[in-house]
Amino acid sequence: MLLFLAMPALAQKVENPSYNKEKLESAKVAFISKRLDLTPKEAEKFWPLYNQHNEDKRKLMKNIYELVKIDEEEITNKRATELIDKEFEIEQEILDLEKAFLKDIIKVISPVQALKLGEANRKFTRHIYRMQKRNKKPSD
């Protein structure tokens, strides 16, 4: 019976992460759209490009994370040098991705808006970080 009573609470915990992700994405869309003052026509073309860019960048960042996740005791100098070189290659890929994205995005929004995009992303991240910090309650 105790398990039966706990099931709704467990189900709610499972549902919340996807809801929070959707809520976070919606907030990000609203925040950036407002900061860039996107028209509906601009937004329609902007968001698919932006989302694809973020997905591509996320994959490359994951590659870096996996690359540097090593057992320090088992690594040789030669292997460390190879990993450093590979990390720089991936970072260059990210830079190339950023350049291509900016070239594509200024066909959809103005260069001024494109310039504001980086700052809008940083401000949104800081805003979310501060909200999380405020909402954390110390353990008793």
Side-chain angles (χ1 to χ4, degrees), residues 45 49 100-111:
K45 294 177 182 178
L49 289 172
F101 171 69
L102 281 174
K103 282 184 180 180
D104 289 342
I105 210 69
I106 61 173
K107 295 174 186 171
V108 174
I109 61 175
S110 74

Side-chain angles (χ1 to χ4, degrees), residues 23-128:
K23 190 175 177 181
L24 183 65
E25 287 301 316
S26 294
K28 187 175 187 177
V29 167
F31 187 91
I32 291 175
S33 293
K34 183 177 179 183
R35 294 286 172 146
L36 300 185
D37 196 26
L38 295 177
T39 66
K41 185 179 177 184
E42 288 171 332
E44 184 180 334
K45 294 177 182 178
F46 171 82
W47 287 108
L49 289 172
Y50 178 86
N51 291 335
Q52 183 61 54
H53 169 71
N54 278 346
E55 183 59 33
D56 294 344
K57 188 175 177 180
R58 194 171 303 131
K59 287 176 186 174
L60 290 171
M61 295 300 291
K62 184 179 179 186
N63 289 345
I64 288 177
Y65 175 75
E66 293 296 324
L67 189 69
V68 297
K69 235 177 46 174
I70 54 168
D71 186 357
E72 294 174 13
E73 294 179 18
E74 295 182 16
I75 191 160
T76 64
N77 285 333
K78 181 180 178 189
R79 182 68 181 139
T81 301
E82 291 169 356
L83 292 172
I84 290 168
D85 290 343
K86 183 64 179 166
E87 186 175 350
F88 278 127
E89 287 175 22
I90 296 170
E91 287 174 355
Q92 184 62 53
E93 287 180 53
I94 292 170
L95 181 59
D96 293 343
L97 182 71
E98 292 290 330
K99 286 180 179 180
F101 171 69
L102 281 174
K103 282 184 180 180
D104 289 342
I105 210 69
I106 61 173
K107 295 174 186 171
V108 174
I109 61 175
S110 74
V112 171
Q113 288 170 305
L115 186 61
K116 289 180 180 180
L117 177 60
E119 184 62 22
N121 276 317
R122 286 185 291 280
K123 284 184 178 181
F124 180 76
T125 301
R126 280 193 300 267
H127 176 72
I128 295 302

